[in-house]
Amino acid sequence: MSRSAHPAGPRHADVLTEGHYSAPPADLNALDPKVWAHTVGRDADGAVTVGGLPVTRLAEEYGTPAYILDESDFRERARAWRTAFGADADVFYAGKAFLSRAVVRWLHEEGLNLDVCSGGELATALSAGMPAERIAFHGNNKSPEEIERAVAAGVGRIVLDSFQEIVRVAHTAQALGKRQRVQIRITVGVEAHTHEFIATAHEDQKFGIPLAGGQAAEAVRRALQLDGIELIGIHSHIGSQIFDMSGFEVAAHRVVGLLKDIRDEHGVELPEIDLGGGLGIAYTSDDDPREPHEIAKALTEIVTRECESARLRTPRISVEPGRAIVGPTAFTLYEVGTVKPLDGLRTYVSVDGGMSDNIRTALYDAEYSVALVSRTSDAEPMLARVVGKHCESGDIVVKDAFLPGDLAPGDLIAVPATGAYCRSMASNYNHVLRPPVVAVRDGEARVIVRRETEEDLLRLDVG
Ligand SMILES: *Cc1c(COP(=O)(O)O)cnc(C)c1O
């Protein structure tokens, strides 16, 4: 559910009328392995540890707020995707979920490819040594400079998103004396969210070229005529935080239908099909994501079956998980600043970050979990709302959560599953300094993205 109204407005009424919180968990000190990174546990003193390090020590050393990322968990998840899809498919990590040079190196080492969608992401990928042929360039409005850089660098594919772009990329490549491999992104009329999808003829959104009305077929016709580009496949991305495979089933059916039409009209069988990303993760204990091997099996079967019935050779499949790889590997560590009980309503717990380090709650009504991590507690659960320090009443990190009733200023709390779309969407609202990303592994911690400083802010403000 997205919302466009100003959050400080009518939503205040929610506090009184909503009242459908799930019951408090049986044990507030428990850490559900579904939502926490693999190496998270508690030490003998009750402090949460990750990668063998207590969060109390991490907070002392690196300050709060901070994103703490479990490197071995990241590598395991990346490897699980790679292994699940095997040698006949490609896994592109969606860099927009979270990108840094360390992440690029991990991906390279684990055999994954990388999606970028801006000059900045491309620069990060190249500067960390990702081979250009393993990079795919996305976006609905790539600038001429971005196209030129991508083609000149030799990226493996550019995903074309409009009729204008087909021509732009072809001309740029020709001017550089190259032939650029491309896919065309189409919209198949499947919009998938979590446990449901909507299949229609048309899709009302900015990405891709509609299959409806013969537009995608026309795009293919034009792409096949241009010398500067080599059309290698069709791309479709149907949504985000998806748990149910049936949306992919409809999407694959429609994409394969287009591949069949292309063969019938042009006598070419395109060798690749990209089914995008969007696979869901557990933000709370209520979410039940599928394992990469189940997803790989389901997607491969769907495409193979569709191609058999269309009598097409099965194309090489690629997928683009972002959230499903990095999301669960990190949590945000905050220090509690104030605890404000509102009689009969709930307790507002203010932390030292907020919507600047996690915009997803304000932007999408995203749900998160939260736990006291600097110690355990036997106190009764209290209904809490974790809020930030920004000048905005919609500055909510966790809307409904149970925390121990003895929570006090100075306690550390952590919000799990913040590896994706948190640091990458972080802002400087209120001139707050963006938190660091600290990677932990085997008892060692290192900063992979440092905390922003006031000098960083003032350097941009040239007065
Ligand atoms: C955002 C995006 C992804 C990744 O989505 P996740 O939900 O992070 O898996 C993959 N492909 C495309 C084209 C995207 O826009």
Side-chain angles (χ1 to χ4, degrees):
M1 200 203 322
S2 71
R3 68 176 198 232
S4 48
H6 193 277
R11 293 188 61 80
H12 276 277
D14 292 358
V15 175
L16 294 169
T17 55
E18 228 172 48
H20 59 260
Y21 331 106
S22 42
D27 178 5
L28 277 182
N29 299 312
L31 301 163
D32 185 346
K34 267 201 302 194
V35 298
W36 292 88
H38 284 160
T39 70
V40 165
R42 282 192 194 266
D43 66 14
D45 301 330
V48 166
T49 64
V50 57
L53 297 166
V55 293
T56 40
R57 221 165 85 202
L58 292 167
E60 259 168 48
E61 192 148 335
Y62 302 102
T64 55
Y67 304 99
I68 311 294
L69 193 158
D70 182 343
E71 177 183 341
S72 51
D73 190 13
F74 183 101
R75 287 177 179 272
E76 274 170 37
R77 288 177 203 268
R79 207 172 304 149
W81 278 88
R82 187 74 211 95
T83 311
F85 279 87
D88 297 328
D90 297 301
V91 180
F92 286 79
Y93 169 79
K96 70 179 201 243
F98 172 62
L99 196 66
S100 78
R101 290 196 269 198
V103 161
V104 173
R105 281 185 217 107
W106 302 340
L107 293 167
H108 188 186
E109 286 166 19
E110 302 298 341
L112 275 75
N113 299 346
L114 176 61
D115 272 359
V116 300
C117 61
S118 72
E121 289 183 359
L122 178 63
T124 304
L126 293 173
S127 81
M130 179 59 82
E133 65 270 16
R134 281 170 51 186
I135 299 174
F137 201 102
H138 279 266
N140 66 302
N141 187 17
K142 308 165 188 81
S143 72
E145 295 76 23
E146 286 172 330
I147 292 171
E148 190 169 335
R149 271 169 77 192
V151 174
V155 299
R157 61 170 76 152
I158 294 181
V159 181
L160 302 174
D161 199 89
S162 65
F163 281 94
Q164 288 89 355
E165 211 167 72
I166 296 172
V167 178
R168 276 179 205 154
V169 172
H171 284 177
T172 305
Q174 221 170 4
L176 292 170
K178 295 197 171 212
R179 188 142 192 260
Q180 177 62 50
R181 288 157 69 86
V182 298
Q183 291 186 339
I184 293 176
R185 176 164 175 177
I186 67 167
T187 49
V188 292
V190 176
E191 214 191 300
H193 302 283
T194 310
H195 301 292
E196 315 160 354
F197 73 98
I198 310 164
T200 57
H202 296 276
E203 220 173 295
D204 192 359
Q205 60 137 313
K206 72 171 185 170
F207 291 109
I209 298 177
L211 184 63
Q215 289 205 55
E218 177 58 20
V220 167
R221 217 167 280 139
R222 294 193 197 174
L224 288 172
Q225 282 166 4
L226 294 167
D227 291 334
I229 53 180
E230 178 190 354
L231 181 62
I232 57 167
I234 299 296
H235 181 285
S236 150
H237 171 77
I238 57 172
S240 62
Q241 189 59 0
I242 304 167
F243 293 106
D244 189 305
M245 292 291 113
S246 46
F248 286 102
E249 193 137 5
V250 177
H253 175 74
R254 294 182 177 178
V255 172
V256 170
L258 177 63
L259 293 180
K260 184 169 173 287
D261 292 346
I262 295 169
R263 182 208 46 208
D264 295 346
E265 183 179 342
H266 306 283
V268 244
E269 291 196 29
L270 296 183
E272 291 185 11
I273 168 173
D274 189 317
L275 295 171
L279 287 315
I281 63 165
Y283 285 104
T284 73
S285 296
D286 294 338
D287 296 324
D288 270 311
R290 296 196 181 200
E291 294 294 321
H293 67 87
E294 296 174 77
I295 294 163
K297 187 165 175 282
L299 291 183
T300 310
E301 279 174 8
I302 292 167
V303 174
T304 307
R305 196 179 57 232
E306 290 296 330
C307 288
E308 271 168 12
S309 73
R311 282 190 291 280
L312 283 166
R313 274 192 300 277
T314 304
R316 189 176 176 86
I317 298 173
S318 41
V319 288
E320 305 174 308
R323 183 195 320 262
I325 293 177
V326 71
T329 69
F331 57 80
T332 316
L333 186 59
Y334 299 105
E335 185 177 307
V336 173
T338 69
V339 177
K340 192 186 287 183
L342 298 187
D343 285 346
L345 295 173
R346 68 177 75 243
T347 298
Y348 276 78
V349 174
S350 295
V351 294
D352 47 358
M355 64 193 297
S356 54
D357 58 71
N358 187 347
I359 191 66
R360 293 189 66 258
T361 306
L363 192 59
Y364 311 124
D365 257 343
E367 288 186 19
Y368 282 95
S369 325
V370 60
L372 170 61
V373 292
S374 44
R375 61 183 174 96
T376 52
S377 166
D378 295 325
E380 288 299 308
M382 66 174 180
L383 179 62
R385 175 164 289 173
V386 179
V387 295
K389 60 180 286 158
H390 296 280
C391 302
E392 161 79 42
S393 48
D395 174 24
I396 297 167
V397 181
V398 185
K399 198 168 159 212
D400 297 311
F402 287 95
L403 282 164
D406 64 349
L407 192 77
D411 279 331
L412 298 176
I413 63 175
V415 174
T418 57
Y421 306 107
C422 286
R423 182 57 181 80
S424 68
M425 293 180 126
S427 77
N428 286 120
Y429 182 41
N430 292 138
H431 282 202
V432 156
L433 305 168
R434 285 178 292 179
V437 182
V438 180
V440 293
R441 184 187 182 187
D442 301 334
E444 310 241 343
R446 86 189 151 103
V447 173
I448 60 170
V449 179
R450 72 160 166 79
R451 185 183 301 282
E452 221 162 17
T453 62
E454 285 179 4
E455 293 80 80
D456 291 327
L457 284 185
L458 293 173
R459 202 177 307 137
L460 296 177
D461 181 341
V462 295

